[in-house]
Amino acid sequence: GLCFQHAVLTQGDIMAKRKTYCTNLDADLMKEIRVLSALQVKRQNELIEEAIKDLLDKYKHLEPALGFSMAE
């Protein structure tokens, strides 16, 4: 499984609240993320968060039909 841990991180003046999120992912996908992480010199978590943000942007047009913002 994959777990993200809760922490408060400081990057310059930016504070980001982090929460743990555990899930099971396809082993081949995780292998590809590990390889991409090494090639891009980025943490796996950064790549997974980037993918989640892209997915949320893809479906952002559904917010009016849902009656609420996914950002809430």
Side-chain angles (χ1 to χ4, degrees), residues 14-25:
I14 301 171
M15 298 289 286
K17 185 175 181 183
R18 318 234 3 122
K19 291 188 177 185
T20 300
Y21 186 84
C22 296
T23 188
N24 293 308
L25 299 173

Side-chain angles (χ1 to χ4, degrees), residues 7-41:
V8 176
L9 303 177
T10 304
Q11 291 182 341
D13 295 328
I14 301 171
M15 298 289 286
K17 185 175 181 183
R18 318 234 3 122
K19 291 188 177 185
T20 300
Y21 186 84
C22 296
T23 188
N24 293 308
L25 299 173
D26 180 82
D28 291 334
L29 286 176
M30 289 308 304
K31 181 179 178 182
E32 291 183 55
I33 288 292
R34 279 192 295 278
V35 170
L36 184 59
S37 173
L39 292 173
Q40 295 295 313
V41 191

Side-chain angles (χ1 to χ4, degrees), residues 38-66:
L39 292 173
Q40 295 295 313
V41 191
K42 289 186 174 182
R43 294 178 301 128
Q44 293 176 41
N45 188 62
E46 288 180 79
L47 296 173
I48 293 167
E49 284 186 356
E50 180 181 337
I52 291 170
K53 288 176 186 176
D54 289 347
L55 181 67
L56 291 173
D57 283 344
K58 177 181 174 181
Y59 288 101
K60 194 170 191 80
H61 69 279
L62 296 176
E63 287 181 354
L66 296 173

